[in-house]
Amino acid sequence: MDIAVRFERVSRHFGEVRAVDDVSLEVRAGEFFAMLGPSGSGKTTCLRLIAGFERPSAGHIEIFGVQADRLPPFERDVNTVFQDYALFPHMNVIDNVCYGLMVRRVSRRERHGRGAEMLNLVRLEGLETRRPSQLSGGQRQRVALARALINQPKVLLLDEPLGALDLKLREEMQSELKTLQRSLGITFVFVTHDQGEALSMSDRVAVFNKGRIAQVDTPETIYARPATRFVADFVGHANIIEPASAQRLAGRAGTFALRPEKIRFAAGGAMPETGWAMTDGQVVAAQYHGSHTRYEIRLTDGLVLIAQRQNEAEPMAASADGRVRLAWRLDDMTPLGPDSEAPP
Amino acid sequence: MTALALEPMPRTSPLRRLSGVLYRHPHLLLLALLGPPILWLGVVYLGSLIALLLQSFFSIDEFSGVVNREFTLRTYGELAHPANLDIIGRTVMMAAAVTIAAAAIAFPIARYMALHATGRTKAVLYLLVMLPLWSSYLVRVYAWKLILAKEGIVTWVFDQLGLAWLLDGILAIPVIGGPSLSISYIGTFIVFVYIWLPFMILPIQAALERVPASLLEASADLGAKPRQTFRKVILPLAFPGVVAGSIFTFSLTLGDYIIPQIIGQSRIFIGQAVFIHQGTAGNIPLAAAFTVVPIVIMAIYLFGAKKLGAFDAL
Amino acid sequence: MLRSTVFGVLAATALIAVSSTSPSDAADMVKKIGAGEGAVDIVAWPGYLERGETDKNFDWVTDFEKKTSCKVNVKTAGTSDEMVALMNEGGFDLVTASGDASLRLISGKRVQPVNVDLIPSWKKVDPRLQKAPWHTVDGVHYGVPYQWGSNVLMYNTNIFKEPPKSWSVVFEETTLPDGKPNKGRVQAFDGPIYIADAAMYLMKHKPELGIKDPYELNEDQYKAALTLLRQQRQIVGRYWHDAFVQIDDFTNEGVVASSSWPFQVNILASQKKPVGSTVPEEGATGWADTTMMHADAPHPNCAYLWLEHSINPKLQGDLAAWFGSVPAVLDACKGNALLTDEGCKTNGLDNFERIHFWRTPVSKCASQGTCVPYYRWVTDYIAVLGGR
């Protein structure tokens, strides 16, 4: 499989700040690749390094096998959908979309033909002569997408493109983007701080923390098998079981993550089976979430676990005083590696 | 409605009642806030303009210098005298040249300030641009007279560089040349550009400052070379700033009467004509008619700028 | 043609108005001086009313205020036109008007006749000035002579070893004694009254034009003067307006000859600059100033007291020394410490006959039927400066 973007020990420093710190990574051609992380984790700087807006302080970047460290943005087969869309306010929609063709001196007739195709693709026919200021947020987003796609880039970079949209529109766009990526076969590199977005859309996810990559893998693995405490915590909810508790509850050494939905509520007199851990606790709080309810359960040693239960037809069997018996498969406990800390 | 609401309101102070009234009628508050400035603008500004306009329809008894307060177009007829048309033409040409030159010089400076300079450099640049405005205009003009004089520093520098022939060549150009830089249109032009330059830099800088960096990145990202980004994105977005700056430089040059009197060839400009006719000769009608000229020119100018879409971004 | 006719009619109307109202004005003349009103407001040239603030030796206001209790308020004016404008505005008692303003003030009915019987020193005034036409209309005096002086040809003594004999060095394109052309190195005054200097030059050099008085020009003479001035425009870089700008031009711009005032000559000489001044063979234009009284003067009694004070020999001598002018009272020429006994001669006392004093050109003139009036001088001189 071709490698679309390769980072080889890339760093980008701004004075004392190590925005990107010794990152190596490979984005495969044709995949939908998400960069997930909290703000300031270096994901956007990585995107800007790919686009050419930043240059690496150290290391090398290749785009489809071509060394790109010193390549200016206008010489890269890479286009970007900006977080604020960056539509040219003095141009109408069609001119915005066709900008990439215009600066390449494509004739006006051909330009407008392709522009119309692009608007068709993002379902914005009929808005050609509007100014960006006359469009809704979702429409602007589509114009930005069409504009970035008209040059048929090898890699499309998306910098939090859905951040400014409301929930419903965001969900709609998520599936649309995914469909579009499938049909065009272009490599998408997508920056987001929204773990749900990253998990639902991408083929692979890189989780960033403090300028470094904590884990790169498929969404399923990232979720089910977080590599570090940071990933476990940042992606979904996780119970972190410290070594002392792990030893007592499961007879295992190390720190573990346990997803709340993996914890079962056992019947009062149930006995532990092989491969399972079991413990008693007291429900201290319950949050109703519609499809499921989330419980806070204090164990006898004071450890508080979060457990989640689907709201099925039958109500939960708990004793009147709120005492419950919990059980989970030992395999669902994911051992966590140490979090990478930037060297001092 | 509950019974409670029907009970008489508790006694309140007049101030509270006023606040209540203003709260319920926001337009009253607006009127109270905007009234005084509008009155000021209406009476003092428009009033004086109208008074001026009226004056231009009077005429003067040329011998005794007494204004004849009867409606006549004679004064405007005088404006059409070839010598007066010369004055108008000369002033407009100068204002146009000064505006173009100021824009050409100001643009790179403003662009650097807005898009490249950061922190300390930016503060220093601001200071450098504003600094001349802190010293007296008159002092700076007189200083320029000395700089541009035949025995002045510019001549000296050209001499030292062995370029005296070049300066002489420039001064030998008909019409704009003269015996020395301070006695030529070139000198007047240089000083005008110098004096009004900050008024061009600041609006352009402000316009460029409002351009998000992402727009320039987007342009490069889509394949535009820096020159294309400049032409297709920076220039159009700075255009309102250039127009705002040109309104300053153009109108200020149109009205100035000090610079051409001190630097130049004694060929008078509109401002001087106004000065001579009102301050000195007491010919208020002709002075008023002369004053109407820049107003009309600026009206045409603004109309043109509007047609070009300079105010679309406002 | 139509335009000049219209203007001619207007100017003539103005003149008729003057002559018909003058006698009645004379009848309204002040008959006796009452008690002072405590103040007197005077429009004057800069330097004309000194109260010792610039140089404590030059003070002729303070003792007047002490003696009469009339506080003197001075409003300075830079040009004759400005003086006329101020007087038209009103609120002043007196004005030190030059000849190019005085007749305009009289015809505009802005000034009132002066009863010389109320001014004891009147008989001491230089007889040549007592009935001067710039303040006497139909035998009625409209003011008291103050000072007079002549414009001079200032020149650079490094270039001119001998004083230039003729104004031709500033009017005609020529080569100066240093072998270089005069183009760009000479100056002229930027006021319309300078047309008279050109006419004066033509009196001598083109006698066939028949100019008798440079302030009274018919169409042909006027045209010839403008032609000469247009020719002069070719060799003059900048016209002078502000005395200090001219001083700077002589210092830094390589200007070597120009019409000027004794004032600039004195300042440059005091800076040890190589300048001299002369009145060439054609003569010179000059100014003669008259203190005139506003028709609606708010303080007539103090005004009369000042008129008497203005021609006392001490003031006249001090002022002449200060301003580089000639006293209106000949007694001032002797025994004044500031002026010295040579002062009057230095400032041009003996040139009186060769000086053409500034007057306002009017259409109805004495030497010939119709003359070109002043308003045309204004517009045409602006045009000449503009190169038209």
Side-chain angles (χ1 to χ4, degrees), chain C residues 154 246-248 250-251 260 263-275:
Chain C
M154 177 159 72
Q246 185 179 47
I247 288 168
D248 184 57
F250 264 75
T251 314
S260 187
F263 179 70
Q264 284 98 298
V265 180
N266 289 341
I267 289 193
L268 281 165
S270 74
Q271 293 171 358
K272 307 275 179 264
K273 293 280 167 13
V275 297

Side-chain angles (χ1 to χ4, degrees), chain A residues 26-38:
Chain A
E26 286 177 354
V27 178
R28 296 169 196 150
E31 78 176 333
F32 198 123
F33 189 88
M35 294 180 173
L36 175 67

Side-chain angles (χ1 to χ4, degrees), chain B residues 288-312:
Chain B
F290 260 114
T291 317
V292 171
V293 172
I295 295 175
V296 170
I297 292 172
M298 283 315 293
I300 296 169
Y301 188 92
L302 291 177
F303 183 74
K306 185 168 159 38
K307 282 270 161 193
L308 283 174
F311 308 123
D312 289 1

Side-chain angles (χ1 to χ4, degrees), chain C residues 21-56:
Chain C
T21 51
S22 296
S24 65
D25 279 352
D28 294 341
M29 210 156 50
V30 175
K31 295 291 188 320
K32 75 183 221 301
I33 305 174
E37 296 89 347
V40 58
D41 298 311
I42 309 178
V43 178
W45 294 104
Y48 252 20
L49 290 175
E50 289 293 311
R51 51 167 81 244
E53 281 165 351
T54 319
D55 182 335
K56 63 176 170 29

